[in-house]
Amino acid sequence: VRQPQIRYTYENWQFSIENPETTVTPNGGGTRLVTDDNTLPDFVGRYNLKHNDLSLALAVLLRQLTVDQGGIDDKETGIGLSVTGKYMINKDDIRFGVNTGSGMGRYIGLNVANGAIVNASNQLDAIGSTGLFASFRHHWNDSWRSNFSYSAIMIDNDVALSGNGATKNTSSLRVNALVDAAKNMTLGAELALANRELESGSDGDLTRLQFMAMYKF
């Protein structure tokens, strides 16, 4: 997610306070509640390190989940841990990452899981989730390159609160080809195969072919 923030960087450390916003699942499931009643900003701390061909970023997210609407007035704490990295193999590279925690909400998987759910006592329970990805970029020659990527997210729903309509997991596999067709111009195509499964066991597949063109001024 990209949002207004104030960030301080010192050597390998980065610290930021970011605009807070809580996404909430009503008790029993239903339309997402989006609130901005937070009194504290979201906090992110990150440390970058590099050793030879390996680069790593370690990060922590701390946030306050808040709702004050529809007769529900409560606060909960969200936390997320992240490890991402890149390993160079000559001109090629392998990229990877794991994010896990509770209450991450819009910080992971395009908010496929909300930050919290309302329990039977009209209080917030943070929703746990784990996301991961791996990608290999290969240069075929000086002009052509491809990326092979896999990503997934697993969500720890309390079905007694969310119902069977909540997303249980999603995954996607992507393959693309990019070519530097002319100076400052890149053309590309990508095939994506994706799946989404609900707590009920129902699932759906997506196949998408997309094209792109980019010119750098």
mmCIF file with all atom_site columns, all heavy atoms in Angstrom, residues 21-27 30-35 65-69 72 111 113-119 123-125 127:
data_model
loop_
_atom_site.group_PDB
_atom_site.id
_atom_site.type_symbol
_atom_site.label_atom_id
_atom_site.label_alt_id
_atom_site.label_comp_id
_atom_site.label_asym_id
_atom_site.label_entity_id
_atom_site.label_seq_id
_atom_site.pdbx_PDB_ins_code
_atom_site.Cartn_x
_atom_site.Cartn_y
_atom_site.Cartn_z
_atom_site.occupancy
_atom_site.B_iso_or_equiv
_atom_site.pdbx_formal_charge
_atom_site.auth_seq_id
_atom_site.auth_comp_id
_atom_site.auth_asym_id
_atom_site.auth_atom_id
_atom_site.pdbx_PDB_model_num
ATOM 1   N N   . GLU A 1 21  ? -5.613  3.584   8.560  1.00 0.00 ? 21  GLU A N   1
ATOM 2   C CA  . GLU A 1 21  ? -6.969  3.308   8.082  1.00 0.00 ? 21  GLU A CA  1
ATOM 3   C C   . GLU A 1 21  ? -7.255  1.841   8.389  1.00 0.00 ? 21  GLU A C   1
ATOM 4   O O   . GLU A 1 21  ? -6.437  0.983   8.074  1.00 0.00 ? 21  GLU A O   1
ATOM 5   C CB  . GLU A 1 21  ? -7.091  3.577   6.593  1.00 0.00 ? 21  GLU A CB  1
ATOM 6   C CG  . GLU A 1 21  ? -8.508  3.418   6.049  1.00 0.00 ? 21  GLU A CG  1
ATOM 7   C CD  . GLU A 1 21  ? -8.573  3.759   4.566  1.00 0.00 ? 21  GLU A CD  1
ATOM 8   O OE1 . GLU A 1 21  ? -8.748  4.948   4.234  1.00 0.00 ? 21  GLU A OE1 1
ATOM 9   O OE2 . GLU A 1 21  ? -8.442  2.830   3.753  1.00 0.00 ? 21  GLU A OE2 1
ATOM 10  N N   . THR A 1 22  ? -8.388  1.556   9.003  1.00 0.00 ? 22  THR A N   1
ATOM 11  C CA  . THR A 1 22  ? -8.717  0.198   9.425  1.00 0.00 ? 22  THR A CA  1
ATOM 12  C C   . THR A 1 22  ? -9.835  -0.368  8.565  1.00 0.00 ? 22  THR A C   1
ATOM 13  O O   . THR A 1 22  ? -10.848 0.297   8.339  1.00 0.00 ? 22  THR A O   1
ATOM 14  C CB  . THR A 1 22  ? -9.164  0.178   10.908 1.00 0.00 ? 22  THR A CB  1
ATOM 15  O OG1 . THR A 1 22  ? -8.140  0.758   11.717 1.00 0.00 ? 22  THR A OG1 1
ATOM 16  C CG2 . THR A 1 22  ? -9.435  -1.242  11.376 1.00 0.00 ? 22  THR A CG2 1
ATOM 17  N N   . THR A 1 23  ? -9.638  -1.598  8.078  1.00 0.00 ? 23  THR A N   1
ATOM 18  C CA  . THR A 1 23  ? -10.694 -2.310  7.348  1.00 0.00 ? 23  THR A CA  1
ATOM 19  C C   . THR A 1 23  ? -11.203 -3.433  8.241  1.00 0.00 ? 23  THR A C   1
ATOM 20  O O   . THR A 1 23  ? -10.415 -4.201  8.800  1.00 0.00 ? 23  THR A O   1
ATOM 21  C CB  . THR A 1 23  ? -10.159 -2.877  6.019  1.00 0.00 ? 23  THR A CB  1
ATOM 22  O OG1 . THR A 1 23  ? -9.004  -3.682  6.254  1.00 0.00 ? 23  THR A OG1 1
ATOM 23  C CG2 . THR A 1 23  ? -9.796  -1.744  5.064  1.00 0.00 ? 23  THR A CG2 1
ATOM 24  N N   . VAL A 1 24  ? -12.524 -3.523  8.363  1.00 0.00 ? 24  VAL A N   1
ATOM 25  C CA  . VAL A 1 24  ? -13.150 -4.407  9.356  1.00 0.00 ? 24  VAL A CA  1
ATOM 26  C C   . VAL A 1 24  ? -14.218 -5.271  8.698  1.00 0.00 ? 24  VAL A C   1
ATOM 27  O O   . VAL A 1 24  ? -15.014 -4.794  7.878  1.00 0.00 ? 24  VAL A O   1
ATOM 28  C CB  . VAL A 1 24  ? -13.783 -3.572  10.496 1.00 0.00 ? 24  VAL A CB  1
ATOM 29  C CG1 . VAL A 1 24  ? -14.464 -4.472  11.521 1.00 0.00 ? 24  VAL A CG1 1
ATOM 30  C CG2 . VAL A 1 24  ? -12.725 -2.703  11.173 1.00 0.00 ? 24  VAL A CG2 1
ATOM 31  N N   . THR A 1 25  ? -14.244 -6.559  9.069  1.00 0.00 ? 25  THR A N   1
ATOM 32  C CA  . THR A 1 25  ? -15.303 -7.475  8.656  1.00 0.00 ? 25  THR A CA  1
ATOM 33  C C   . THR A 1 25  ? -16.384 -7.494  9.739  1.00 0.00 ? 25  THR A C   1
ATOM 34  O O   . THR A 1 25  ? -16.067 -7.748  10.908 1.00 0.00 ? 25  THR A O   1
ATOM 35  C CB  . THR A 1 25  ? -14.763 -8.903  8.473  1.00 0.00 ? 25  THR A CB  1
ATOM 36  O OG1 . THR A 1 25  ? -13.720 -8.890  7.503  1.00 0.00 ? 25  THR A OG1 1
ATOM 37  C CG2 . THR A 1 25  ? -15.859 -9.854  8.019  1.00 0.00 ? 25  THR A CG2 1
ATOM 38  N N   . PRO A 1 26  ? -17.644 -7.222  9.404  1.00 0.00 ? 26  PRO A N   1
ATOM 39  C CA  . PRO A 1 26  ? -18.709 -7.300  10.409 1.00 0.00 ? 26  PRO A CA  1
ATOM 40  C C   . PRO A 1 26  ? -18.857 -8.724  10.933 1.00 0.00 ? 26  PRO A C   1
ATOM 41  O O   . PRO A 1 26  ? -18.457 -9.694  10.278 1.00 0.00 ? 26  PRO A O   1
ATOM 42  C CB  . PRO A 1 26  ? -19.961 -6.867  9.633  1.00 0.00 ? 26  PRO A CB  1
ATOM 43  C CG  . PRO A 1 26  ? -19.456 -6.152  8.423  1.00 0.00 ? 26  PRO A CG  1
ATOM 44  C CD  . PRO A 1 26  ? -18.147 -6.794  8.095  1.00 0.00 ? 26  PRO A CD  1
ATOM 45  N N   . ASN A 1 27  ? -19.442 -8.869  12.104 1.00 0.00 ? 27  ASN A N   1
ATOM 46  C CA  . ASN A 1 27  ? -19.692 -10.201 12.654 1.00 0.00 ? 27  ASN A CA  1
ATOM 47  C C   . ASN A 1 27  ? -20.615 -10.982 11.735 1.00 0.00 ? 27  ASN A C   1
ATOM 48  O O   . ASN A 1 27  ? -21.666 -10.493 11.335 1.00 0.00 ? 27  ASN A O   1
ATOM 49  C CB  . ASN A 1 27  ? -20.329 -10.079 14.043 1.00 0.00 ? 27  ASN A CB  1
ATOM 50  C CG  . ASN A 1 27  ? -20.490 -11.416 14.716 1.00 0.00 ? 27  ASN A CG  1
ATOM 51  O OD1 . ASN A 1 27  ? -21.478 -12.120 14.490 1.00 0.00 ? 27  ASN A OD1 1
ATOM 52  N ND2 . ASN A 1 27  ? -19.532 -11.779 15.531 1.00 0.00 ? 27  ASN A ND2 1
ATOM 53  N N   . GLY A 1 30  ? -19.969 -9.982  5.530  1.00 0.00 ? 30  GLY A N   1
ATOM 54  C CA  . GLY A 1 30  ? -20.747 -8.905  4.908  1.00 0.00 ? 30  GLY A CA  1
ATOM 55  C C   . GLY A 1 30  ? -19.849 -7.809  4.377  1.00 0.00 ? 30  GLY A C   1
ATOM 56  O O   . GLY A 1 30  ? -18.633 -7.971  4.236  1.00 0.00 ? 30  GLY A O   1
ATOM 57  N N   . THR A 1 31  ? -20.452 -6.653  4.108  1.00 0.00 ? 31  THR A N   1
ATOM 58  C CA  . THR A 1 31  ? -19.734 -5.541  3.492  1.00 0.00 ? 31  THR A CA  1
ATOM 59  C C   . THR A 1 31  ? -18.657 -4.990  4.405  1.00 0.00 ? 31  THR A C   1
ATOM 60  O O   . THR A 1 31  ? -18.891 -4.761  5.596  1.00 0.00 ? 31  THR A O   1
ATOM 61  C CB  . THR A 1 31  ? -20.728 -4.418  3.131  1.00 0.00 ? 31  THR A CB  1
ATOM 62  O OG1 . THR A 1 31  ? -21.745 -4.938  2.269  1.00 0.00 ? 31  THR A OG1 1
ATOM 63  C CG2 . THR A 1 31  ? -20.011 -3.286  2.407  1.00 0.00 ? 31  THR A CG2 1
ATOM 64  N N   . ARG A 1 32  ? -17.480 -4.781  3.872  1.00 0.00 ? 32  ARG A N   1
ATOM 65  C CA  . ARG A 1 32  ? -16.334 -4.267  4.617  1.00 0.00 ? 32  ARG A CA  1
ATOM 66  C C   . ARG A 1 32  ? -16.617 -2.889  5.198  1.00 0.00 ? 32  ARG A C   1
ATOM 67  O O   . ARG A 1 32  ? -17.181 -2.016  4.533  1.00 0.00 ? 32  ARG A O   1
ATOM 68  C CB  . ARG A 1 32  ? -15.133 -4.210  3.688  1.00 0.00 ? 32  ARG A CB  1
ATOM 69  C CG  . ARG A 1 32  ? -13.938 -3.453  4.236  1.00 0.00 ? 32  ARG A CG  1
ATOM 70  C CD  . ARG A 1 32  ? -12.853 -3.338  3.188  1.00 0.00 ? 32  ARG A CD  1
ATOM 71  N NE  . ARG A 1 32  ? -12.342 -4.639  2.801  1.00 0.00 ? 32  ARG A NE  1
ATOM 72  C CZ  . ARG A 1 32  ? -11.661 -4.850  1.689  1.00 0.00 ? 32  ARG A CZ  1
ATOM 73  N NH1 . ARG A 1 32  ? -11.459 -3.860  0.828  1.00 0.00 ? 32  ARG A NH1 1
ATOM 74  N NH2 . ARG A 1 32  ? -11.200 -6.054  1.409  1.00 0.00 ? 32  ARG A NH2 1
ATOM 75  N N   . LEU A 1 33  ? -16.227 -2.682  6.454  1.00 0.00 ? 33  LEU A N   1
ATOM 76  C CA  . LEU A 1 33  ? -16.263 -1.363  7.070  1.00 0.00 ? 33  LEU A CA  1
ATOM 77  C C   . LEU A 1 33  ? -14.875 -0.739  6.937  1.00 0.00 ? 33  LEU A C   1
ATOM 78  O O   . LEU A 1 33  ? -13.869 -1.400  7.216  1.00 0.00 ? 33  LEU A O   1
ATOM 79  C CB  . LEU A 1 33  ? -16.638 -1.462  8.557  1.00 0.00 ? 33  LEU A CB  1
ATOM 80  C CG  . LEU A 1 33  ? -17.947 -2.178  8.917  1.00 0.00 ? 33  LEU A CG  1
ATOM 81  C CD1 . LEU A 1 33  ? -18.098 -2.243  10.429 1.00 0.00 ? 33  LEU A CD1 1
ATOM 82  C CD2 . LEU A 1 33  ? -19.129 -1.453  8.295  1.00 0.00 ? 33  LEU A CD2 1
ATOM 83  N N   . VAL A 1 34  ? -14.816 0.504   6.501  1.00 0.00 ? 34  VAL A N   1
ATOM 84  C CA  . VAL A 1 34  ? -13.550 1.222   6.390  1.00 0.00 ? 34  VAL A CA  1
ATOM 85  C C   . VAL A 1 34  ? -13.614 2.423   7.310  1.00 0.00 ? 34  VAL A C   1
ATOM 86  O O   . VAL A 1 34  ? -14.510 3.266   7.183  1.00 0.00 ? 34  VAL A O   1
ATOM 87  C CB  . VAL A 1 34  ? -13.275 1.674   4.937  1.00 0.00 ? 34  VAL A CB  1
ATOM 88  C CG1 . VAL A 1 34  ? -11.941 2.406   4.862  1.00 0.00 ? 34  VAL A CG1 1
ATOM 89  C CG2 . VAL A 1 34  ? -13.272 0.477   3.988  1.00 0.00 ? 34  VAL A CG2 1
ATOM 90  N N   . THR A 1 35  ? -12.687 2.500   8.279  1.00 0.00 ? 35  THR A N   1
ATOM 91  C CA  . THR A 1 35  ? -12.723 3.560   9.272  1.00 0.00 ? 35  THR A CA  1
ATOM 92  C C   . THR A 1 35  ? -11.399 4.309   9.310  1.00 0.00 ? 35  THR A C   1
ATOM 93  O O   . THR A 1 35  ? -10.343 3.747   9.008  1.00 0.00 ? 35  THR A O   1
ATOM 94  C CB  . THR A 1 35  ? -13.010 2.992   10.677 1.00 0.00 ? 35  THR A CB  1
ATOM 95  O OG1 . THR A 1 35  ? -11.815 2.389   11.196 1.00 0.00 ? 35  THR A OG1 1
ATOM 96  C CG2 . THR A 1 35  ? -14.108 1.947   10.637 1.00 0.00 ? 35  THR A CG2 1
ATOM 97  N N   . LEU A 1 65  ? -5.768  -0.800  15.263 1.00 0.00 ? 65  LEU A N   1
ATOM 98  C CA  . LEU A 1 65  ? -7.002  -1.048  14.525 1.00 0.00 ? 65  LEU A CA  1
ATOM 99  C C   . LEU A 1 65  ? -8.150  -0.474  15.341 1.00 0.00 ? 65  LEU A C   1
ATOM 100 O O   . LEU A 1 65  ? -8.329  -0.825  16.509 1.00 0.00 ? 65  LEU A O   1
ATOM 101 C CB  . LEU A 1 65  ? -7.194  -2.558  14.315 1.00 0.00 ? 65  LEU A CB  1
ATOM 102 C CG  . LEU A 1 65  ? -6.002  -3.293  13.677 1.00 0.00 ? 65  LEU A CG  1
ATOM 103 C CD1 . LEU A 1 65  ? -6.211  -4.793  13.741 1.00 0.00 ? 65  LEU A CD1 1
ATOM 104 C CD2 . LEU A 1 65  ? -5.783  -2.828  12.253 1.00 0.00 ? 65  LEU A CD2 1
ATOM 105 N N   . THR A 1 66  ? -8.929  0.403   14.728 1.00 0.00 ? 66  THR A N   1
ATOM 106 C CA  . THR A 1 66  ? -9.958  1.136   15.463 1.00 0.00 ? 66  THR A CA  1
ATOM 107 C C   . THR A 1 66  ? -11.248 1.199   14.664 1.00 0.00 ? 66  THR A C   1
ATOM 108 O O   . THR A 1 66  ? -11.219 1.384   13.443 1.00 0.00 ? 66  THR A O   1
ATOM 109 C CB  . THR A 1 66  ? -9.491  2.581   15.762 1.00 0.00 ? 66  THR A CB  1
ATOM 110 O OG1 . THR A 1 66  ? -8.235  2.542   16.437 1.00 0.00 ? 66  THR A OG1 1
ATOM 111 C CG2 . THR A 1 66  ? -10.500 3.312   16.629 1.00 0.00 ? 66  THR A CG2 1
ATOM 112 N N   . VAL A 1 67  ? -12.374 1.052   15.355 1.00 0.00 ? 67  VAL A N   1
ATOM 113 C CA  . VAL A 1 67  ? -13.678 1.244   14.726 1.00 0.00 ? 67  VAL A CA  1
ATOM 114 C C   . VAL A 1 67  ? -14.598 1.953   15.716 1.00 0.00 ? 67  VAL A C   1
ATOM 115 O O   . VAL A 1 67  ? -14.593 1.669   16.909 1.00 0.00 ? 67  VAL A O   1
ATOM 116 C CB  . VAL A 1 67  ? -14.291 -0.102  14.268 1.00 0.00 ? 67  VAL A CB  1
ATOM 117 C CG1 . VAL A 1 67  ? -14.523 -1.032  15.450 1.00 0.00 ? 67  VAL A CG1 1
ATOM 118 C CG2 . VAL A 1 67  ? -15.582 0.117   13.492 1.00 0.00 ? 67  VAL A CG2 1
ATOM 119 N N   . ASP A 1 68  ? -15.358 2.910   15.206 1.00 0.00 ? 68  ASP A N   1
ATOM 120 C CA  . ASP A 1 68  ? -16.341 3.626   16.009 1.00 0.00 ? 68  ASP A CA  1
ATOM 121 C C   . ASP A 1 68  ? -17.508 3.978   15.108 1.00 0.00 ? 68  ASP A C   1
ATOM 122 O O   . ASP A 1 68  ? -17.666 5.115   14.675 1.00 0.00 ? 68  ASP A O   1
ATOM 123 C CB  . ASP A 1 68  ? -15.728 4.882   16.638 1.00 0.00 ? 68  ASP A CB  1
ATOM 124 C CG  . ASP A 1 68  ? -16.706 5.618   17.553 1.00 0.00 ? 68  ASP A CG  1
ATOM 125 O OD1 . ASP A 1 68  ? -17.784 5.040   17.855 1.00 0.00 ? 68  ASP A OD1 1
ATOM 126 O OD2 . ASP A 1 68  ? -16.408 6.757   17.958 1.00 0.00 ? 68  ASP A OD2 1
ATOM 127 N N   . GLN A 1 69  ? -18.314 2.976   14.802 1.00 0.00 ? 69  GLN A N   1
ATOM 128 C CA  . GLN A 1 69  ? -19.493 3.175   13.965 1.00 0.00 ? 69  GLN A CA  1
ATOM 129 C C   . GLN A 1 69  ? -20.428 1.983   14.124 1.00 0.00 ? 69  GLN A C   1
ATOM 130 O O   . GLN A 1 69  ? -20.012 0.894   14.505 1.00 0.00 ? 69  GLN A O   1
ATOM 131 C CB  . GLN A 1 69  ? -19.105 3.355   12.499 1.00 0.00 ? 69  GLN A CB  1
ATOM 132 C CG  . GLN A 1 69  ? -18.341 2.211   11.875 1.00 0.00 ? 69  GLN A CG  1
ATOM 133 C CD  . GLN A 1 69  ? -18.028 2.446   10.407 1.00 0.00 ? 69  GLN A CD  1
ATOM 134 O OE1 . GLN A 1 69  ? -18.816 2.102   9.548  1.00 0.00 ? 69  GLN A OE1 1
ATOM 135 N NE2 . GLN A 1 69  ? -16.871 3.052   10.124 1.00 0.00 ? 69  GLN A NE2 1
ATOM 136 N N   . ILE A 1 72  ? -20.396 0.008   17.338 1.00 0.00 ? 72  ILE A N   1
ATOM 137 C CA  . ILE A 1 72  ? -19.170 -0.720  17.673 1.00 0.00 ? 72  ILE A CA  1
ATOM 138 C C   . ILE A 1 72  ? -18.071 0.300   17.935 1.00 0.00 ? 72  ILE A C   1
ATOM 139 O O   . ILE A 1 72  ? -17.791 1.159   17.105 1.00 0.00 ? 72  ILE A O   1
ATOM 140 C CB  . ILE A 1 72  ? -18.745 -1.650  16.527 1.00 0.00 ? 72  ILE A CB  1
ATOM 141 C CG1 . ILE A 1 72  ? -19.892 -2.565  16.123 1.00 0.00 ? 72  ILE A CG1 1
ATOM 142 C CG2 . ILE A 1 72  ? -17.525 -2.468  16.918 1.00 0.00 ? 72  ILE A CG2 1
ATOM 143 C CD1 . ILE A 1 72  ? -19.664 -3.280  14.813 1.00 0.00 ? 72  ILE A CD1 1
ATOM 144 N N   . ASN A 1 111 ? -5.438  -6.048  0.353  1.00 0.00 ? 111 ASN A N   1
ATOM 145 C CA  . ASN A 1 111 ? -6.501  -6.121  1.361  1.00 0.00 ? 111 ASN A CA  1
ATOM 146 C C   . ASN A 1 111 ? -7.472  -7.280  1.093  1.00 0.00 ? 111 ASN A C   1
ATOM 147 O O   . ASN A 1 111 ? -8.678  -7.169  1.309  1.00 0.00 ? 111 ASN A O   1
ATOM 148 C CB  . ASN A 1 111 ? -7.275  -4.814  1.457  1.00 0.00 ? 111 ASN A CB  1
ATOM 149 C CG  . ASN A 1 111 ? -7.857  -4.579  2.859  1.00 0.00 ? 111 ASN A CG  1
ATOM 150 O OD1 . ASN A 1 111 ? -7.917  -3.444  3.320  1.00 0.00 ? 111 ASN A OD1 1
ATOM 151 N ND2 . ASN A 1 111 ? -8.271  -5.632  3.541  1.00 0.00 ? 111 ASN A ND2 1
ATOM 152 N N   . ALA A 1 113 ? -7.647  -9.780  2.848  1.00 0.00 ? 113 ALA A N   1
ATOM 153 C CA  . ALA A 1 113 ? -8.153  -10.030 4.201  1.00 0.00 ? 113 ALA A CA  1
ATOM 154 C C   . ALA A 1 113 ? -8.189  -8.712  4.957  1.00 0.00 ? 113 ALA A C   1
ATOM 155 O O   . ALA A 1 113 ? -7.216  -7.952  4.936  1.00 0.00 ? 113 ALA A O   1
ATOM 156 C CB  . ALA A 1 113 ? -7.265  -11.024 4.942  1.00 0.00 ? 113 ALA A CB  1
ATOM 157 N N   . ASN A 1 114 ? -9.302  -8.412  5.612  1.00 0.00 ? 114 ASN A N   1
ATOM 158 C CA  . ASN A 1 114 ? -9.401  -7.176  6.379  1.00 0.00 ? 114 ASN A CA  1
ATOM 159 C C   . ASN A 1 114 ? -8.470  -7.220  7.589  1.00 0.00 ? 114 ASN A C   1
ATOM 160 O O   . ASN A 1 114 ? -7.938  -8.274  7.961  1.00 0.00 ? 114 ASN A O   1
ATOM 161 C CB  . ASN A 1 114 ? -10.841 -6.947  6.824  1.00 0.00 ? 114 ASN A CB  1
ATOM 162 C CG  . ASN A 1 114 ? -11.754 -6.622  5.654  1.00 0.00 ? 114 ASN A CG  1
ATOM 163 O OD1 . ASN A 1 114 ? -11.351 -5.966  4.701  1.00 0.00 ? 114 ASN A OD1 1
ATOM 164 N ND2 . ASN A 1 114 ? -12.996 -7.090  5.709  1.00 0.00 ? 114 ASN A ND2 1
ATOM 165 N N   . GLY A 1 115 ? -8.307  -6.064  8.225  1.00 0.00 ? 115 GLY A N   1
ATOM 166 C CA  . GLY A 1 115 ? -7.437  -6.004  9.386  1.00 0.00 ? 115 GLY A CA  1
ATOM 167 C C   . GLY A 1 115 ? -8.019  -6.690  10.603 1.00 0.00 ? 115 GLY A C   1
ATOM 168 O O   . GLY A 1 115 ? -7.289  -7.297  11.392 1.00 0.00 ? 115 GLY A O   1
ATOM 169 N N   . ALA A 1 116 ? -9.338  -6.601  10.779 1.00 0.00 ? 116 ALA A N   1
ATOM 170 C CA  . ALA A 1 116 ? -9.965  -7.161  11.980 1.00 0.00 ? 116 ALA A CA  1
ATOM 171 C C   . ALA A 1 116 ? -11.398 -7.587  11.676 1.00 0.00 ? 116 ALA A C   1
ATOM 172 O O   . ALA A 1 116 ? -11.972 -7.222  10.642 1.00 0.00 ? 116 ALA A O   1
ATOM 173 C CB  . ALA A 1 116 ? -9.939  -6.132  13.114 1.00 0.00 ? 116 ALA A CB  1
ATOM 174 N N   . ILE A 1 117 ? -11.956 -8.367  12.592 1.00 0.00 ? 117 ILE A N   1
ATOM 175 C CA  . ILE A 1 117 ? -13.346 -8.800  12.498 1.00 0.00 ? 117 ILE A CA  1
ATOM 176 C C   . ILE A 1 117 ? -14.025 -8.519  13.827 1.00 0.00 ? 117 ILE A C   1
ATOM 177 O O   . ILE A 1 117 ? -13.386 -8.522  14.884 1.00 0.00 ? 117 ILE A O   1
ATOM 178 C CB  . ILE A 1 117 ? -13.430 -10.305 12.139 1.00 0.00 ? 117 ILE A CB  1
ATOM 179 C CG1 . ILE A 1 117 ? -14.865 -10.699 11.796 1.00 0.00 ? 117 ILE A CG1 1
ATOM 180 C CG2 . ILE A 1 117 ? -12.849 -11.179 13.256 1.00 0.00 ? 117 ILE A CG2 1
ATOM 181 C CD1 . ILE A 1 117 ? -14.975 -12.086 11.167 1.00 0.00 ? 117 ILE A CD1 1
ATOM 182 N N   . VAL A 1 118 ? -15.319 -8.237  13.784 1.00 0.00 ? 118 VAL A N   1
ATOM 183 C CA  . VAL A 1 118 ? -16.091 -7.944  14.996 1.00 0.00 ? 118 VAL A CA  1
ATOM 184 C C   . VAL A 1 118 ? -16.563 -9.260  15.597 1.00 0.00 ? 118 VAL A C   1
ATOM 185 O O   . VAL A 1 118 ? -17.191 -10.077 14.924 1.00 0.00 ? 118 VAL A O   1
ATOM 186 C CB  . VAL A 1 118 ? -17.288 -7.034  14.667 1.00 0.00 ? 118 VAL A CB  1
ATOM 187 C CG1 . VAL A 1 118 ? -18.097 -6.754  15.942 1.00 0.00 ? 118 VAL A CG1 1
ATOM 188 C CG2 . VAL A 1 118 ? -16.824 -5.735  14.021 1.00 0.00 ? 118 VAL A CG2 1
ATOM 189 N N   . ASN A 1 119 ? -16.246 -9.488  16.884 1.00 0.00 ? 119 ASN A N   1
ATOM 190 C CA  . ASN A 1 119 ? -16.683 -10.724 17.537 1.00 0.00 ? 119 ASN A CA  1
ATOM 191 C C   . ASN A 1 119 ? -18.062 -10.552 18.173 1.00 0.00 ? 119 ASN A C   1
ATOM 192 O O   . ASN A 1 119 ? -18.707 -9.495  18.034 1.00 0.00 ? 119 ASN A O   1
ATOM 193 C CB  . ASN A 1 119 ? -15.642 -11.199 18.555 1.00 0.00 ? 119 ASN A CB  1
ATOM 194 C CG  . ASN A 1 119 ? -15.442 -10.206 19.704 1.00 0.00 ? 119 ASN A CG  1
ATOM 195 O OD1 . ASN A 1 119 ? -16.322 -9.425  20.050 1.00 0.00 ? 119 ASN A OD1 1
ATOM 196 N ND2 . ASN A 1 119 ? -14.247 -10.256 20.284 1.00 0.00 ? 119 ASN A ND2 1
ATOM 197 N N   . GLN A 1 123 ? -16.384 -6.505  19.867 1.00 0.00 ? 123 GLN A N   1
ATOM 198 C CA  . GLN A 1 123 ? -14.983 -6.109  19.977 1.00 0.00 ? 123 GLN A CA  1
ATOM 199 C C   . GLN A 1 123 ? -14.221 -6.592  18.750 1.00 0.00 ? 123 GLN A C   1
ATOM 200 O O   . GLN A 1 123 ? -14.665 -7.499  18.038 1.00 0.00 ? 123 GLN A O   1
ATOM 201 C CB  . GLN A 1 123 ? -14.360 -6.683  21.255 1.00 0.00 ? 123 GLN A CB  1
ATOM 202 C CG  . GLN A 1 123 ? -14.989 -6.145  22.527 1.00 0.00 ? 123 GLN A CG  1
ATOM 203 C CD  . GLN A 1 123 ? -14.405 -6.786  23.770 1.00 0.00 ? 123 GLN A CD  1
ATOM 204 O OE1 . GLN A 1 123 ? -14.102 -7.977  23.779 1.00 0.00 ? 123 GLN A OE1 1
ATOM 205 N NE2 . GLN A 1 123 ? -14.246 -5.994  24.824 1.00 0.00 ? 123 GLN A NE2 1
ATOM 206 N N   . LEU A 1 124 ? -13.065 -5.980  18.501 1.00 0.00 ? 124 LEU A N   1
ATOM 207 C CA  . LEU A 1 124 ? -12.271 -6.328  17.342 1.00 0.00 ? 124 LEU A CA  1
ATOM 208 C C   . LEU A 1 124 ? -11.307 -7.469  17.643 1.00 0.00 ? 124 LEU A C   1
ATOM 209 O O   . LEU A 1 124 ? -10.629 -7.459  18.668 1.00 0.00 ? 124 LEU A O   1
ATOM 210 C CB  . LEU A 1 124 ? -11.471 -5.116  16.867 1.00 0.00 ? 124 LEU A CB  1
ATOM 211 C CG  . LEU A 1 124 ? -12.264 -3.921  16.330 1.00 0.00 ? 124 LEU A CG  1
ATOM 212 C CD1 . LEU A 1 124 ? -11.297 -2.815  15.904 1.00 0.00 ? 124 LEU A CD1 1
ATOM 213 C CD2 . LEU A 1 124 ? -13.142 -4.326  15.159 1.00 0.00 ? 124 LEU A CD2 1
ATOM 214 N N   . ASP A 1 125 ? -11.247 -8.437  16.738 1.00 0.00 ? 125 ASP A N   1
ATOM 215 C CA  . ASP A 1 125 ? -10.222 -9.471  16.749 1.00 0.00 ? 125 ASP A CA  1
ATOM 216 C C   . ASP A 1 125 ? -9.387  -9.305  15.483 1.00 0.00 ? 125 ASP A C   1
ATOM 217 O O   . ASP A 1 125 ? -9.935  -9.274  14.371 1.00 0.00 ? 125 ASP A O   1
ATOM 218 C CB  . ASP A 1 125 ? -10.843 -10.875 16.757 1.00 0.00 ? 125 ASP A CB  1
ATOM 219 C CG  . ASP A 1 125 ? -11.491 -11.225 18.092 1.00 0.00 ? 125 ASP A CG  1
ATOM 220 O OD1 . ASP A 1 125 ? -11.177 -10.550 19.096 1.00 0.00 ? 125 ASP A OD1 1
ATOM 221 O OD2 . ASP A 1 125 ? -12.291 -12.170 18.128 1.00 0.00 ? 125 ASP A OD2 1
ATOM 222 N N   . ILE A 1 127 ? -7.178  -10.205 12.339 1.00 0.00 ? 127 ILE A N   1
ATOM 223 C CA  . ILE A 1 127 ? -7.183  -11.357 11.430 1.00 0.00 ? 127 ILE A CA  1
ATOM 224 C C   . ILE A 1 127 ? -5.738  -11.682 11.042 1.00 0.00 ? 127 ILE A C   1
ATOM 225 O O   . ILE A 1 127 ? -5.012  -10.823 10.549 1.00 0.00 ? 127 ILE A O   1
ATOM 226 C CB  . ILE A 1 127 ? -8.012  -11.059 10.165 1.00 0.00 ? 127 ILE A CB  1
ATOM 227 C CG1 . ILE A 1 127 ? -9.466  -10.791 10.553 1.00 0.00 ? 127 ILE A CG1 1
ATOM 228 C CG2 . ILE A 1 127 ? -7.930  -12.223 9.189  1.00 0.00 ? 127 ILE A CG2 1
ATOM 229 C CD1 . ILE A 1 127 ? -10.334 -10.355 9.391  1.00 0.00 ? 127 ILE A CD1 1
#
